[in-house]
Amino acid sequence: MVVRRDSAVGEQDPGGGKKTAKVTKAAPEEASPKRPAKKAAGRTDAPKKAAAAKTGSKKAAPTKTAVKKAVGAKKASRTKRTAAPQVVSKKTTVAVKAAAPTKTIAAKPPGNESRAALVRRARRINRELAEVYPYAHPELDFENPFQLIVATVLSAQTTDLRVNQTTPALFARYPTPEDLAAAAPEEVEEILRPTGFFRAKTKSVMGLSKALVEHFGGEVPDNVEDLVKLPGVGRKTAFVVLGNAFGHPGITVDTHFQRLVRRWQWTDETDPDKIEAAVGALFPRSEWTMLSHHVVFHGRRICHARKPACGACPIAPLCPAYGEGETDPEKAKKLLKYEKGGFPGQRLKPPQAYLDAGGKPAPPLGAG
């Protein structure tokens, strides 16, 4: 047994330590005492350390550092696991809040229609309507922003025609915000009586006139933030004024617009603000104002609420709701209104392009 140990030790010195590891592991199995094994291990460690120092090996020395790093990594991973849910939950909450409007305003295309196909169809409908109504315009008579904002407020719960027949007398007597703000309420009520809800409308137009005088120097502001602060002015009225008096693009979501964009399945929303956002996402901003005119013109003349004239509709092949109304061409023609049906339009003083296209001006108030 001693001879074998001596020979093993004799082979350790020139071997560089690799053979030593094998021999020292095998030695304890043959020898029952444990102390010689420890000595052998101690003897074999010396060449390893010397060789490592000479060759620059980093396999043995960094063992403790590696252990410390591993422990630190485990602690860090535990910290991340405990801290991560809080960070992720916050980010997730923010992401959901930011993405929610997109989900709520996104249109549901008919059948298997993709988002890209919906955009193409919607824009094609607008192009077709632009050819049918090249003279589309706001159907309220006005000469300046003040007249337009007052007329738009008065158009609630009544027709543009009735408003156009009423405002000439109003503006002749009260041409400026200062004049209307200082008017006697009962006199204004009498003028506005034909528009319906004349007491509430008198309060609104006089209130917005006072606000214009007190806060804006008698001038109508040209931004939506200030416009909606005026009494009786909402986003619809604000965009009518911005688009037609100042040339700022805007979508006017009135009852006709709401009905048609849902009928065409551009969106399934019912809230006007969400409809505005959903439809606005389908078109370039520069087209918003004229898009509103095209849709409203079509809703008033052909695509009516109760009996749409499907048989006389120029965009029937693009409409998912085709067949809800009269499909017979001859019967459908009898449902057409305004200039499409040969009748007067809504403005007393319409644009020249409308007259050139065969449109007829509306009669003044009291005319037979």
Side-chain angles (χ1 to χ4, degrees):
M1 298 297 289
V2 175
V3 174
R4 290 181 62 184
R5 287 180 182 173
D6 293 339
S7 61
V9 173
E11 292 176 358
Q12 289 171 2
D13 296 336
K18 292 184 179 179
K19 290 183 179 180
T20 301
K22 293 180 181 180
V23 174
T24 52
K25 289 181 180 178
E29 293 178 358
E30 296 179 0
S32 57
K34 295 183 180 180
R35 290 181 180 177
K38 290 183 179 180
K39 291 180 180 179
R43 290 176 182 176
T44 54
D45 286 342
K48 284 185 180 180
K49 292 181 179 180
K54 291 180 181 180
T55 59
S57 175
K58 297 181 181 178
K59 292 182 180 179
T63 304
K64 293 183 179 180
T65 306
V67 171
K68 290 181 179 180
K69 288 183 178 180
V71 173
K74 287 182 180 180
K75 290 182 179 180
S77 63
R78 289 177 184 175
T79 305
K80 287 181 179 179
R81 287 177 184 176
T82 56
Q86 296 179 357
V87 176
V88 171
S89 63
K90 288 181 180 179
K91 288 184 178 179
T92 302
T93 304
V94 173
V96 169
K97 289 182 179 179
T102 304
K103 292 182 179 180
T104 56
I105 66 175
K108 292 183 179 180
N112 296 324
E113 187 178 38
S114 65
R115 174 71 179 180
L118 170 61
V119 172
R120 288 194 298 269
R121 182 170 63 87
R123 294 185 181 186
R124 185 178 173 187
I125 287 176
N126 187 39
R127 290 195 300 270
E128 295 287 342
L129 294 181
E131 294 182 3
V132 178
Y133 310 105
Y135 47 81
H137 59 275
E139 296 191 89
L140 289 169
D141 284 325
F142 70 97
E143 296 179 356
N144 54 58
F146 172 65
Q147 291 187 1
L148 179 57
I149 195 171
V150 170
T152 307
V153 170
L154 296 178
S155 66
Q157 305 297 322
T158 189
T159 64
D160 288 352
L161 171 59
R162 179 60 63 184
V163 174
N164 292 336
Q165 292 172 332
T166 305
T167 51
L170 179 69
F171 295 139
R173 188 160 186 175
Y174 311 107
T176 67
E178 291 81 1
D179 296 328
L180 189 53
E186 57 274 10
E187 295 179 1
V188 178
E189 288 178 0
E190 190 60 30
I191 296 174
L192 301 183
R193 186 180 293 271
T195 65
F197 304 96
F198 58 91
R199 291 189 178 89
K201 291 180 179 180
T202 296
K203 185 177 180 180
S204 293
V205 297
M206 291 187 66
L208 75 86
S209 297
K210 291 178 181 178
L212 290 175
V213 173
E214 294 175 0
H215 303 292
F216 301 100
E219 299 292 333
V220 177
D222 62 351
N223 62 84
V224 67
E225 292 80 11
D226 289 333
L227 284 170
V228 295
K229 295 177 183 178
L230 300 172
V233 178
R235 288 182 67 86
K236 185 197 84 169
T237 299
F239 284 124
V240 169
V241 175
L242 290 175
N244 299 288
F246 295 105
H248 301 329
I251 294 178
T252 303
V253 185
D254 68 354
T255 55
H256 301 286
F257 193 93
Q258 292 186 50
R259 183 179 74 252
L260 266 63
V261 298
R262 287 174 55 81
R263 185 172 281 175
W264 294 336
Q265 295 187 20
W266 289 2
T267 179
D268 59 357
E269 293 295 339
T270 56
D271 180 75
D273 292 348
K274 293 182 179 179
I275 292 175
E276 175 194 327
V279 176
L282 301 176
F283 296 89
R285 185 181 180 85
S286 59
E287 297 182 10
W288 288 356
T289 299
M290 288 309 301
L291 168 70
S292 302
H293 293 325
H294 296 153
V295 175
V296 172
F297 255 59
H298 191 63
R300 286 175 171 171
R301 286 152 178 77
I302 297 178
C303 196
H304 311 133
R306 295 183 180 179
K307 293 182 178 180
C310 294
C313 181
I315 61 168
L318 302 172
C319 181
Y322 176 78
E324 289 186 6
E326 181 58 62
T327 57
D328 181 82
E330 295 301 321
K331 293 180 180 179
K333 287 182 181 179
K334 297 179 180 179
L335 300 175
L336 302 181
K337 295 182 179 180
Y338 303 115
E339 76 280 354
K340 292 298 179 184
F343 302 107
Q346 305 221 53
R347 291 188 67 165
L348 300 173
K349 299 177 180 179
Q352 189 60 42
Y354 174 79
L355 299 174
D356 294 341
K360 300 179 180 179
L365 184 63

